[in-house]
Amino acid sequence: RVLLLAVAYCTAVFAAGCANAALLAPLAARITTKDEADASGLASAGLYIGWLERFLVVTAVLAGSAEGVGLIAAAKSVFRFGDIKEGRAFAEYFLVGTFLSVSEAVGVGLIAQYLLRHLVTT
């Protein structure tokens, strides 16, 4: 069980993050210099936010809390609302990235939940 959970969390947090970087590269290239200056904030903050977001989503799925998944996505959007309304390219990048990240984490969480229930013996 512990190994399965470790693999699930590492897959959702780190492997999905690498996949997202590759998949979102075309959108990231469209962000203007103004968007980058406004959204730069703390260096690598987006990376850490993504890690935490996927970790929390997997945890919510494993806990059976669909509401938790919604709360995580909603909270992230509320905190970035000002940035989203400033630039269309950044808004598209943010929304696609968030939906992609949450979808991956939900998928990994559901697979882990299934494996824990049906394949892993105690």
Side-chain angles (χ1 to χ4, degrees):
R1 288 177 174 266
V2 172
L3 180 60
L4 175 65
L5 289 172
V7 169
Y9 277 106
C10 286
T11 300
V13 173
F14 302 114
C18 292
N20 291 351
L23 292 169
L24 294 172
L27 289 177
R30 290 184 33 212
I31 297 174
T32 65
T33 313
K34 178 191 176 300
D35 290 331
E36 289 173 353
D38 292 344
S40 62
L42 188 61
S44 301
L47 175 71
Y48 302 126
I49 291 168
W51 287 356
L52 183 58
E53 172 188 18
R54 289 186 297 278
F55 178 87
L56 292 173
V57 169
V58 170
T59 302
V61 169
L62 290 174
S65 176
E67 299 86 0
V69 175
L71 179 64
I72 293 161
K76 183 177 177 187
S77 297
V78 166
F79 286 120
R80 295 299 293 258
F81 182 74
D83 294 334
I84 291 171
K85 68 180 191 171
E86 290 298 321
R88 179 181 171 97
F90 179 77
E92 291 171 352
Y93 175 80
F94 173 81
L95 291 172
V96 170
T98 297
F99 288 135
L100 181 62
S101 186
V102 169
S103 297
E104 291 163 340
V106 166
V108 170
L110 290 173
I111 291 168
Q113 188 178 57
Y114 174 83
L115 292 173
L116 285 169
R117 287 184 180 163
H118 295 95
L119 301 178
V120 176
T121 59
T122 54

